Amino acid sequence: MPRSYVSEARRRVGPKKQRIGPIIERLVAAHPDATIALRFENDLQLLVAVMLSAQTTDVNVNRVTERLFEKYRTPEDYLAVPVEELENDIRATGFFRQKTKALRGTMAMLIEEFDGQVPARMEDLLRLPGVARKTANVVVAERGAAEGIVVDTHVRRLSQRLGLTRQEDPVKIERDLIKLVPRRYWNVFPHLLIWHGRRVCIARRPQCEVCVLNDLCPASRVEVVRLPSHTRA
Ligand code: SF4
């Protein structure tokens, strides 16, 4: 897209600080069901599901964990079977060797250092083998006290299209979003973008004509007729 067109589009929609409020409000109204798609019933299952979700879909993880969580109920259970058995049990999520290694390392540390419990603090979660910032962010956010904003592929694409960041690197994108999004929305904001990304702002064919954000989005492909401010709702 030519640079002049991009700046014109940015001017048309206005500064991101003024747009973020309406963007969140409209996404909340459009996706009231926006929550994590992974299934889990306790903190350990949440941690395992998020670790398994790297490089695969949530649907795929749910299919695998349905049986996995029947068989493995405590951190000790993951260490009680031969490595190959755990590898087989999670094989369908892909990268099963690395994931098995990370799971076993994490379970050993949970037992040794955290009394078999999943720690609540971000800094402790980040010490667990194979747990990177994105995983830790999801776990902390789902437990109700987000310390950051999860940036996955949808969050990255939509933040860029909506002109909320110019960054490419997820850590820098998160930094931009943290400055912009009010803290009370840190938990839900990624889910809103993820669901909007799946249903409307699809990677290769964004449905701009039916998008509730099309007058707030510099990447919109529809000509939005802008009414004078006094006639807008
Ligand atoms: S207007 Fe188009 S590009 Fe912008 S968020 Fe909506 S679907 Fe995505």
Side-chain angles (χ1 to χ4, degrees):
M1 208 180 277
R3 196 177 276 267
S4 59
Y5 183 84
V6 174
S7 358
E8 164 49 32
R10 287 213 178 100
R11 254 197 309 277
R12 172 176 60 81
V13 296
K16 56 187 175 188
K17 283 208 170 115
Q18 283 172 19
R19 290 183 290 123
I20 192 67
I23 285 175
I24 294 173
E25 272 171 34
R26 290 187 202 177
L27 288 177
V28 167
H31 308 289
D33 53 344
T35 50
I36 191 165
L38 293 171
R39 291 201 206 108
F40 57 91
E41 284 177 359
N42 55 47
D43 292 342
L44 185 67
Q45 291 185 359
L46 167 63
L47 176 62
V48 171
V50 181
M51 289 175 78
L52 293 179
S53 69
Q55 311 290 333
T56 188
T57 63
D58 293 346
V59 174
N60 198 23
V61 173
N62 289 339
R63 217 175 280 140
V64 169
T65 54
E66 198 178 344
R67 280 207 206 139
L68 193 78
F69 293 159
E70 285 287 310
K71 181 170 171 184
Y72 302 84
R73 292 169 182 264
T74 65
E76 287 82 357
D77 293 342
Y78 288 84
L79 300 170
V81 296
V83 175
E84 298 72 27
E85 189 172 333
L86 181 54
E87 282 180 354
N88 260 336
D89 289 338
I90 64 161
R91 182 181 288 263
T93 68
F95 299 95
F96 60 93
R97 291 209 175 87
Q98 289 105 301
K99 287 179 182 175
T100 297
K101 197 169 165 213
L103 278 180
R104 287 174 61 89
T106 283
M107 297 306 155
M109 191 181 271
L110 289 184
I111 295 165
E112 279 160 28
E113 300 197 25
F114 299 103
D115 218 9
Q117 304 298 312
V118 177
R121 295 185 320 168
M122 186 86 173
E123 62 202 83
D124 290 331
L125 284 165
L126 286 172
R127 289 180 49 222
L128 300 170
V131 173
R133 184 163 178 90
K134 187 179 148 213
T135 302
N137 251 340
V138 176
V139 172
V140 171
E142 286 313 310
R143 295 163 98 191
E147 288 181 32
I149 294 179
V150 177
V151 177
D152 77 344
T153 171
H154 294 288
V155 175
R156 178 169 128 165
R157 181 177 76 256
L158 268 77
S159 302
Q160 291 169 336
R161 282 184 177 168
L162 286 164
L164 307 180
T165 182
R166 294 183 190 199
Q167 302 293 341
E168 288 291 330
D169 174 51
V171 175
K172 291 183 182 161
I173 293 174
E174 185 185 355
R175 227 175 275 154
D176 282 351
L177 294 178
I178 279 173
K179 281 190 227 142
L180 196 62
V181 176
R183 192 169 187 133
R184 64 183 183 284
Y185 292 112
W186 286 6
N187 288 12
V188 75
F189 189 70
H191 296 312
L192 293 171
L193 292 194
I194 290 167
W195 284 95
H196 199 61
R198 284 183 182 143
R199 290 169 171 165
V200 183
C201 191
I202 300 153
R204 294 220 179 121
R205 42 183 177 87
Q207 319 278 300
C208 301
E209 51 305 327
V210 294
C211 177
V212 293
L213 305 178
N214 61 17
D215 60 328
L216 296 169
C217 175
S220 172
R221 296 178 182 187
V222 289
E223 251 334 287
V224 177
V225 179
R226 292 180 73 76
L227 300 170
S229 56
H230 65 277
T231 63
R232 272 183 244 150

